[in-house]
């Protein structure tokens, strides 16, 4: 295609949008060399209330518009970068861009996880591209490796720490023995967690990211609603203490794996052996372990969020798409079969379990507990009893089971909670080895 330049329209000028705009403007020369044409930022769509923010003040006023029509009607835009986040109006804007024949680049995990298949189909129909490298793992290359470098493999599994905020919180709880509320507060003070941290701590952010990775890995359509999701807010510093005594570290993992012809997709806290690579990934870092039948186990590690790493991925997409435009390559055909693989019910999964409970400290109680577990086909691997409280005559016990089926555990926990001698089953955590 004989174009003199590649024009960019940017939607959203928050911290990520501001950084992407900065890279496009400050590294224009190097980008032009890599693309073979100047890459020109032509318009930025901002919200009225964002005009006073520092990143808006940095921009030449002619670049900024608060008017949607003005933005979409700006001449010479080939690529639209959507960095608004959230489902709407971002989804609407992406569709509008694709229908207008503009290539779309986004970091929006919610939109891609929920509507990716529909958007890809729209883009393919138009012969244009939809790129979303920054949607998972910030600057860590993941989407391209799944679309290109790993395609010869049958992917056996993905085990991922893909939410930096929760990994920071769990690291602080584990290292310092502080409780969840204090660790969350510190994460918020450092700007890691949002003021409303629900999406991070309830595992929803990880669920969106896993839906994207699992759909690519298994050439299937995995919807966020297909994924079992449990966050970290139920974890107590006692869980960390006892897990450590048993040689385990607790992490929030996003897991997608093939087992017995089914796909398992789940996000929940996990006890990992302390010498496992993922157990050692601390702070805001993300790590994504992928197992393919040819490549074996490989792990991607890095900063999974923040303006600098995210801008790295977004601008890489810009260069890739711009090169394709220059070469007249149109959309990169990623026409992989959308197989509908069956997803295993959570009740059918099998793992080991760590169960912590408060019990009456009196004769025969352990025997009653062992009977309930045995009746539900749950075999005890080890147990520790702790801190008998003289005044209340209670003790805390932690049981590690052999591999057991989830439905047996759920039933046993319910029965234990109805036992007079059990004050409360405080928590149970799945174990991955
Ligand atoms: N809130 C996410 C995290 C970053 O903490 O990892 C954006 O995906």
């Amino acid at each position: 295609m004989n174009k003199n330049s590649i024009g960019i329209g940017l939607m959203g000028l928050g911290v990520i949008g501001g950084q992407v705009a900065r890279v496009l403007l400050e590294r224009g020369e190097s980008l032009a060399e890599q693309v073979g044409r100047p890459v020109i930022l032509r318009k930025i769509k901002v919200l009225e209330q964002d005009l006073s923010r520092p990143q808006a003040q940095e921009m030449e006023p002619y670049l900024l518009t608060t008017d949607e029509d003005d933005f979409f009607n700006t001449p010479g835009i080939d690529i639209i970068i959507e960095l608004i986040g959230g489902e709407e109006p971002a989804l609407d804007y992406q569709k509008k861009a694709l229908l207008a024949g503009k290539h779309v680049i986004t970091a929006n995990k919610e939109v891609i996880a929920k509507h990716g298949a529909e958007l890809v189909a729209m883009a393919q129909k138009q012969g244009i591209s939809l790129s979303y490298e920054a949607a998972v793992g910030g600057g860590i290359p993941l989407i391209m490796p799944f679309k290109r470098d790993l395609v010869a493999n049958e992917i056996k599994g993905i085990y991922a720490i893909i939410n930096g905020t929760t990994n920071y919180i769990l690291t602080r709880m584990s290292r310092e023995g502080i409780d969840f509320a204090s660790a969350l507060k510190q994460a918020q003070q450092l700007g890691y967690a949002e003021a409303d941290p629900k999406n991070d701590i309830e595992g929803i952010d990880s669920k969106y990211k896993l839906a994207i990775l699992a759909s690519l890995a298994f050439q299937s359509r995995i919807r966020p609603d297909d994924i079992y999701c449990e966050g970290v807010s139920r974890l107590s510093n006692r869980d960390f203490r006892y897990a450590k005594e048993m040689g385990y570290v607790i992490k929030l993992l996003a897991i997608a794996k093939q087992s017995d012809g089914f796909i398992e997709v789940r996000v929940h806290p996990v006890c990992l052996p302390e010498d496992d690579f993922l157990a050692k990934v601390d702070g805001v870092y993300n790590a994504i372990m992928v197992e393919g039948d040819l490549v074996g186990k490989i792990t991607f590690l890095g900063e999974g969020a923040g303006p600098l790493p995210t801008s790295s991925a977004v601008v890489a997409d810009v260069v890739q798409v711009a090169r394709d435009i220059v070469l007249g390559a149109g959309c990169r055909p990623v026409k992989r079969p959308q197989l509908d693989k069956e997803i295993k019910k959570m009740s059918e999964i099998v793992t080991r379990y760590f169960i912590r409970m408060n019990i009456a400290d009196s004769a025969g109680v352990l025997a009653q507990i062992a009977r309930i577990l045995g009746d539900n086909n749950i075999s005890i691997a080890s147990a520790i009893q702790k801190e008998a409280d003289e005044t209340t005559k209670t003790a805390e016990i932690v049981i590690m089971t052999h591999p057991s089926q989830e439905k047996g555990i759920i039933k046993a926990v319910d029965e234990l909670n109805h036992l007079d001698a059990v004050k409360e089953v405080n928590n149970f955590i799945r174990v991955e080895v």
Side-chain angles (χ1 to χ4, degrees):
M1 186 179 284
N2 192 17
K3 285 187 73 76
N4 293 328
S5 63
I6 305 297
I8 311 288
L10 172 63
M11 309 196 84
L13 198 61
V15 282
I16 307 286
Q19 179 57 30
V20 167
R22 221 168 277 134
V23 175
L24 291 172
L25 294 169
E26 290 172 4
R27 302 193 179 185
E29 216 168 292
S30 140
L31 296 176
E33 265 173 35
Q34 296 189 63
V35 169
R37 301 280 188 287
V39 176
I40 298 175
L41 180 57
R42 296 204 183 278
K43 207 48 114 187
I44 307 174
K45 161 84 176 66
V46 284
L47 293 173
E48 191 76 44
Q49 62 264 34
D50 288 339
L51 283 171
S52 56
R53 296 178 77 179
Q55 58 268 38
Q57 305 281 309
E58 271 177 54
M59 303 296 145
E60 295 280 355
Y62 79 89
L63 278 175
L64 304 175
T65 182
T66 57
D67 186 88
E68 197 181 308
D69 291 334
D70 183 30
F71 176 82
F72 279 104
N73 291 330
T74 303
I77 290 183
D78 305 288
I79 301 171
I80 288 184
I81 307 175
E82 182 274 302
L83 296 176
I84 293 169
E87 192 169 3
E88 287 293 359
L91 172 63
D92 191 43
Y93 287 156
Q94 286 192 33
K95 285 183 178 171
K96 204 167 170 183
L98 291 170
L99 287 173
K102 318 283 183 197
H103 301 264
V104 169
I105 293 171
T106 183
N108 194 321
K109 63 219 145 194
E110 183 171 357
V111 165
I112 297 299
K114 290 182 178 170
H115 308 283
E118 183 196 354
L119 293 167
V120 167
M122 277 176 80
Q124 284 181 333
K125 203 166 161 201
Q126 296 278 69
I128 52 179
S129 57
L130 171 73
S131 312
Y132 48 92
E133 184 60 66
V136 187
I140 306 171
L142 284 168
I143 305 302
M144 242 350 187
F146 273 111
K147 280 187 176 171
R148 196 190 58 189
D149 311 83
L150 297 172
V151 286
N153 288 263
E154 185 185 348
I155 303 295
K156 303 282 185 200
I158 301 170
Y159 299 81
I161 295 172
I162 38 178
N163 183 269
T165 305
T166 43
N167 203 39
Y168 173 83
I169 290 171
L170 301 189
T171 302
R172 296 298 300 268
M173 289 178 77
S174 170
R175 280 198 197 151
E176 290 151 51
I178 58 175
D179 62 19
F180 175 76
S182 317
L184 170 61
K185 205 165 165 206
Q186 289 179 18
Q188 282 172 321
Q189 280 162 355
L190 287 165
Y192 296 146
E194 310 285 329
D196 175 5
K198 182 168 167 264
N199 271 15
D200 289 323
I201 65 176
E202 296 308 336
I204 299 162
D205 177 81
S206 296
K207 179 172 75 166
Y208 292 150
K209 292 168 177 170
L210 185 65
I212 296 172
L213 293 184
S215 296
L216 290 171
F218 302 136
Q219 302 175 39
S220 200
R221 190 184 294 186
I222 311 288
R223 297 162 183 86
D225 286 347
D226 294 329
I227 299 176
Y228 174 83
C229 181
E230 186 185 308
V232 297
S233 53
R234 272 195 317 141
L235 292 172
S236 122
N237 45 11
R238 304 174 92 81
D239 293 318
F240 286 88
R241 194 170 351 132
Y242 298 137
K244 195 171 188 174
E245 276 188 39
M246 292 177 142
Y248 292 92
V249 170
I250 303 172
K251 293 288 184 190
L252 180 70
L253 279 202
I255 299 170
K257 65 178 178 183
Q258 308 223 39
S259 65
D260 326 317
F262 291 89
I263 291 178
E264 283 182 32
V265 270
R266 44 195 168 95
V267 171
H268 53 72
V270 160
C271 284
L272 285 172
E274 60 195 358
D275 59 355
D276 189 282
F277 180 83
L278 292 178
K280 297 178 195 151
V281 175
D282 282 337
V284 289
Y285 272 78
N286 283 194
I288 299 91
M289 198 280 276
V290 183
E291 185 175 4
D293 63 342
L294 303 175
V295 76
K297 289 182 180 171
I298 52 171
T299 305
F300 300 84
L301 172 73
E303 290 180 48
L308 295 178
T310 308
S311 71
S312 163
V314 170
V315 178
D317 276 346
V318 169
V319 170
Q320 185 65 63
V321 174
R323 279 178 180 155
D324 286 349
I325 295 172
V326 169
L327 292 171
C331 89
R332 312 202 129 232
V334 194
K335 249 201 170 327
R336 306 175 79 188
Q338 289 292 318
L339 309 170
D340 258 328
K341 291 189 182 154
E342 210 173 324
I343 292 168
K344 191 180 264 189
K345 287 196 188 91
M346 195 59 191
S347 55
E348 303 294 320
I349 73 150
V350 174
T351 74
R352 301 176 71 206
Y353 291 82
F354 162 109
I355 309 169
R356 177 169 66 85
M357 61 188 113
N358 264 96
I359 59 168
D361 190 16
S362 51
V365 173
L366 276 182
Q368 293 177 52
I369 292 169
R371 187 170 324 113
I372 287 183
L373 293 175
D375 287 350
N376 285 292
N377 251 332
I378 298 157
S379 164
I380 298 173
S382 62
I384 48 176
Q385 178 168 332
K386 286 285 178 186
E387 293 172 7
D389 185 326
E390 277 301 310
T391 29
T392 58
K393 293 259 177 285
T394 59
E396 194 161 42
I397 61 163
V398 178
I399 290 173
M400 185 62 79
T401 75
H402 284 298
S404 314
Q405 210 169 31
E406 176 99 357
K407 66 179 165 213
I409 291 285
I410 301 286
K411 189 159 164 279
V413 166
D414 183 55
E415 287 171 18
L416 289 168
N417 272 325
H418 283 91
L419 210 59
D420 281 344
V422 172
K423 304 290 170 214
E424 190 188 3
V425 178
N426 308 91
N427 212 349
F428 66 90
I429 303 172
R430 299 163 191 91
V431 182
E432 292 288 329
V433 283

